Amino acid sequence: MKKIILFGLILFNIACISTKSTIQNINDKAIMPKIIGDHFDIKTIANEGKYGFHQDYPVNLGFYKTENANLANVKRFFNGITSKDGEKLLFKRVDTCCPYPSKNNSVGVGTLEIYEVWIEGKTEKWLLYLNLTDKGEVLCPKGFLPKK
């Protein structure tokens, strides 16, 4: 019985150690965008159509070591982009997903936050993946525009 338990623990540890991150756009050297009032000054629209819309290409906002500070960055990000017609976007967090290994979290694991985004009075909605643990270049996802 002890051998079975030991074997199970070894398999569990091997599985945890061999887990690799699939996130493609983490950049530890990225600089947080300039803050203007209540929003980030986002200058560039992403070339990659998956940016923000896919778990492997999240918007990386982990510029601080505390979650509360990064939640402020969520608001700054959404306040820094508009619809393609210049309308203000509304947003709410709807889920947490996609654990991945991260050296920037005390437990060694980061997760992504999924936000639902829409324009007030319109039915179309989008889901965007945000990473509050690691950082990367903050871009405007395709289909949106940087706030002017």
Side-chain angles (χ1 to χ4, degrees):
M1 181 68 169
K2 288 182 181 180
K3 288 183 180 181
I4 293 172
I5 293 172
L6 180 61
F7 182 71
L9 288 172
I10 290 170
L11 282 178
F12 177 76
N13 284 334
I14 290 171
C16 290
I17 292 169
S18 65
T19 303
K20 290 186 176 183
S21 176
T22 60
I23 297 177
Q24 302 296 308
N25 59 342
I26 290 174
N27 179 353
D28 290 333
K29 295 180 181 179
I31 298 170
M32 187 171 74
K34 182 179 178 182
I35 300 169
I36 299 177
D38 67 346
H39 68 277
F40 281 142
D41 185 22
I42 300 172
K43 303 263 189 215
T44 307
I45 298 174
N47 289 326
E48 173 60 58
K50 292 180 182 179
Y51 178 83
F53 296 102
H54 191 278
Q55 66 189 30
D56 291 344
Y57 297 89
V59 178
N60 297 302
L61 299 173
F63 292 97
Y64 297 110
K65 295 297 181 197
T66 65
E67 185 176 342
N68 287 340
N70 284 323
L71 288 174
N73 284 343
V74 170
K75 291 178 184 174
R76 291 176 182 134
F77 169 72
F78 283 115
N79 288 336
I81 62 175
T82 66
S83 75
K84 60 186 175 196
D85 295 324
E87 299 154 304
K88 181 177 168 104
L89 300 172
L90 302 173
F91 60 94
K92 71 175 180 178
R93 188 178 71 78
V94 294
D95 205 357
T96 300
C97 76
C98 320
Y100 67 94
S102 174
K103 64 180 185 245
N104 293 319
N105 186 306
S106 61
V107 295
V109 176
T111 56
L112 303 180
E113 303 297 323
I114 303 173
Y115 279 80
E116 186 176 72
V117 184
W118 69 97
I119 301 165
E120 189 171 21
K122 299 200 176 175
T123 58
E124 187 174 15
K125 295 183 178 183
W126 303 272
L127 293 178
L128 290 179
Y129 292 84
L130 276 63
N131 179 351
L132 304 184
T133 305
D134 292 283
K135 56 187 177 177
E137 185 180 7
V138 179
L139 306 170
C140 180
K142 279 192 171 183
F144 299 102
L145 294 174
K147 183 177 183 176
K148 293 184 179 184

